[in-house]
Amino acid sequence: INRAIARVRSNVATPGSGVHKPGWDTSVHLPLWVSSNETKQIEGRLDAWVGVLLSVGADVVGLSKIMKKPLRPLWVSQASKIW
C-alpha cells in the first residue's frame, strides 16, 4: 500500500503542492525469520503487485489523501512476547 500511495502521489505531484512527501517509506519490512532470498523475491514482485492493486480500482488516491504516515507491519509469531 505504501508503494501504491507513493506512485499515486508522484503521478499527481506538482512543485509546491505538498502532495509528494519525500521520505515516504516504501521499503520492505519483514520479520527476521524471513530469509534474504525470500525477501529479494518479494521485493522483485512488489512493483507488479502495486500495478495490480491500482488496476483493480482500489481507491488509492482517496487513501493517499488521508494517510499522513506510511503503514508499518507488526510481526507476531508464537515466540513473540507481546504482553
Side-chain angles (χ1 to χ4, degrees), residues 9 32 65 77:
R9 287 181 175 175
L32 297 174
K65 290 177 182 177
S77 74

Side-chain angles (χ1 to χ4, degrees), residues 39-75:
T39 298
K40 289 177 187 174
Q41 290 180 26
I42 291 169
E43 288 172 340
R45 295 177 180 176
L46 279 175
D47 288 328
W49 291 338
V50 167
V52 171
L53 177 64
L54 294 174
S55 72
V56 297
D59 185 17
V60 179
V61 172
L63 188 59
S64 172
K65 290 177 182 177
I66 61 171
M67 297 260 319
K68 304 294 183 213
K69 296 181 180 180
L71 296 173
R72 287 292 298 265
L74 173 66
W75 299 101

Side-chain angles (χ1 to χ4, degrees), residues 1-50:
I1 292 177
N2 292 342
R3 285 188 189 215
I5 289 172
R7 189 180 296 177
V8 164
R9 287 181 175 175
S10 69
N11 288 341
V12 298
T14 57
S17 69
V19 174
H20 180 63
K21 298 193 183 292
W24 186 263
D25 187 8
T26 60
S27 57
V28 178
H29 299 280
L30 298 173
L32 297 174
W33 61 82
V34 175
S35 71
S36 60
N37 183 40
E38 189 172 0
T39 298
K40 289 177 187 174
Q41 290 180 26
I42 291 169
E43 288 172 340
R45 295 177 180 176
L46 279 175
D47 288 328
W49 291 338
V50 167

